[in-house]
Amino acid sequence: MAQALRPLFVTVTWGAGGTTAGKSLELAEICQRQLQLTTCLHLTCTNMNRKLIDEALEEAKALGIRNILALRGDPPRSADYNTEGDDDSNREFTWAVDLVRYIRRVYGDYFCIGVAAYPEGHPGDSYTEVQDVNKDLPYLVEKVQAGADFIMTQLTYDIEAYQKFEEMLRNHPSGAFKTIPIMPGLMPIQGYKSLTRVTKLSGARIPPPILERLEDVKQDDDAVKRVGVDILC
């Protein structure tokens, strides 16, 4: 059953500050070992001290997981997490590029490292920040040049925005994106309310024609799913 849809790989998310570390690694083990699915483990570095990151990477290696999606995670809030003392990760791991560099330095080429990109611009840490793809680009260049092997984008339903974004990357003067695999984020549509909530949080735009189709059936979750499958296809 696990192989019925022939997935290229599956990803397992990671809670802010390592709050779901145990459950994430347990699920990753089930996927990788029991179901024999190539597994990509998300790993955030903000609010994570080096000891926790080392433990996560060593456990992943022991489980045979060789794919890591290196993320910053939620904005630094040391007071909310157990990151006291001299090993406070907010001083050592501020951005995703810090994690990419650390993994490459410690593990060489053992892990295949992915990084995130935002076809419609990063939503920022406050609702007042303007999303700007061009503002994000230098950081993405830095992550790729630090050793990233692939790019996975934030969810998007605006195919024109995505195509424009990918074309911009491929033609970027740095040459950093000429051959690197870029995977578009396509999230299944489970319900109208959940869709509007997650797109608001991520800053993703729902094109009017798609929104109109969903609004016509928004009271019927089964109908929303059927329309959602068609939209994603």
Side-chain angles (χ1 to χ4, degrees):
M1 183 178 294
Q3 299 289 347
L5 297 177
R6 298 192 299 266
L8 179 64
F9 64 94
V10 295
T11 67
V12 177
T13 57
W14 189 266
T19 51
T20 66
K23 291 181 180 179
S24 294
L25 288 166
E26 182 180 351
L27 181 57
E29 179 178 14
I30 292 172
C31 293
Q32 182 75 34
R33 284 188 168 178
Q34 297 183 31
L35 301 180
Q36 297 183 333
L37 295 169
T38 299
T39 301
C40 177
L41 180 66
H42 290 209
L43 185 59
T44 63
C45 63
T46 296
N47 302 311
M48 287 271 289
N49 61 46
R50 193 194 317 166
K51 182 175 182 291
L52 289 173
I53 288 175
D54 285 340
E55 289 175 354
L57 291 169
E58 284 299 319
E59 183 68 15
K61 188 175 180 180
L63 295 175
I65 295 170
R66 303 195 64 169
N67 305 287
I68 301 291
L69 186 63
L71 306 166
R72 183 191 70 161
D74 290 341
R77 298 174 303 183
S78 294
D80 295 344
Y81 298 95
N82 184 23
T83 56
E84 298 177 357
D86 294 335
D87 203 22
D88 188 334
S89 65
N90 294 341
R91 289 195 290 269
E92 187 168 6
F93 298 103
T94 305
W95 309 105
V97 67
D98 299 324
L99 181 57
V100 174
R101 288 179 179 138
Y102 182 76
I103 295 173
R104 278 285 173 255
R105 186 174 77 250
V106 177
Y107 292 91
D109 294 330
Y110 180 82
F111 287 109
C112 177
I113 303 174
V115 294
Y118 301 84
E120 300 170 60
H122 193 285
D125 298 331
S126 71
Y127 292 112
T128 59
E129 289 188 48
V130 177
Q131 292 179 219
D132 184 351
V133 172
N134 292 301
K135 178 183 175 183
D136 303 336
L137 266 179
Y139 305 111
L140 186 57
V141 170
E142 191 177 22
K143 289 190 290 187
V144 170
Q145 292 179 338
D149 296 298
F150 67 93
I151 294 170
M152 188 179 295
T153 80
Q154 176 61 278
L155 65 95
T156 183
Y157 298 102
D158 190 336
I159 188 64
E160 290 184 6
Y162 174 80
Q163 290 174 325
K164 182 178 179 181
F165 177 71
E166 182 169 347
E167 183 179 356
M168 179 174 62
L169 294 188
R170 295 303 188 200
N171 296 315
H172 193 269
S174 70
F177 313 110
K178 191 172 290 295
T179 59
I180 191 169
I182 304 172
M183 303 178 189
L186 298 174
M187 191 189 80
I189 299 173
Q190 300 294 318
Y192 183 81
K193 288 184 178 179
S194 62
L195 174 68
T196 53
R197 182 173 63 251
V198 75
T199 51
K200 181 178 180 181
L201 289 171
S202 64
R205 172 179 172 270
I206 307 176
I210 291 178
L211 188 60
E212 184 178 341
R213 291 181 62 187
L214 293 167
E215 284 180 339
D216 287 342
V217 295
K218 65 181 181 181
Q219 302 301 330
D220 184 342
D221 280 351
D222 288 335
V224 169
K225 290 178 184 179
R226 288 194 298 271
V227 172
V229 168
D230 186 58
I231 288 169
L232 287 184
C233 289

